[in-house]
Amino acid sequence: MFKHILVPIDGSDIASLAVAKAAGLAKTFGSDVTALYVVDPYPFTGVGADFAYGQAQYLSAATAEANAALEKARTELAAAGVQVSTVVGEGHTVHDGILSAVLSTGADLVVMGSHGRRGLEKLVLGSVTQRVLGAVHVPVLVVRT
């Protein structure tokens, strides 16, 4: 039914639940799995002369965090007997990075966690999941606690 599952992760506990759900689906359908961590390559704007130094430090830290989260997902999927590829994607917003990955990987299902923010917190912080639901043209399975 699903040939390629994309699992966007952020290193959180809810992302681990999404990885576990994706592993079960991949075993059931014999799907390929891609774990994705999105990094904003240019988070700083107009910070003056220290921009380049701050940018290099940020990218180094963001890449290390991404690699650690992806390795954790790879380990969890391998323990479940699922082959996985990992991608550090780029996007000025996480949902843009996810949309790009859906298109580039040919994923036909996105399995992602939702932190379940509501009210003012959702208004201020936004909802990556809600934006993904509105942007992609493949099914999205939302995992919540």
Side-chain angles (χ1 to χ4, degrees):
M1 184 170 185
F2 298 110
K3 294 179 181 173
H4 195 127
I5 300 171
L6 179 70
V7 187
I9 61 170
D10 61 4
S12 67
D13 291 339
I14 193 71
S16 289
L17 292 174
V19 167
K21 183 61 74 176
L25 290 168
K27 286 185 75 158
T28 300
F29 297 116
S31 309
D32 294 329
V33 177
T34 299
L36 167 72
Y37 191 106
V38 178
V39 173
D40 181 353
Y42 306 105
F44 305 114
T45 55
V47 292
D50 294 331
F51 176 74
Y53 180 70
Q55 178 73 8
Q57 279 186 317
Y58 163 77
L59 284 177
S60 178
T63 301
E65 183 178 315
N67 288 332
L70 289 169
E71 186 56 36
K72 180 181 176 198
R74 181 191 312 274
T75 301
E76 292 172 11
L77 288 159
V82 174
Q83 293 274 350
V84 62
S85 59
T86 59
V87 175
V88 177
E90 292 185 351
H92 293 294
T93 60
V94 175
H95 69 276
D96 283 340
I98 294 169
L99 177 58
S100 293
V102 166
L103 297 172
S104 68
T105 64
D108 54 2
L109 175 67
V110 176
V111 178
M112 64 187 297
S114 174
H115 295 283
R117 294 185 178 106
R118 298 201 187 298
L120 185 59
E121 185 180 28
K122 181 178 178 181
L123 180 65
V124 173
L125 298 176
S127 171
V128 171
T129 305
Q130 190 64 40
R131 290 181 180 136
V132 168
L133 286 167
V136 301
H137 300 299
V138 299
V140 179
L141 175 62
V142 179
V143 178
R144 292 185 55 184
T145 56

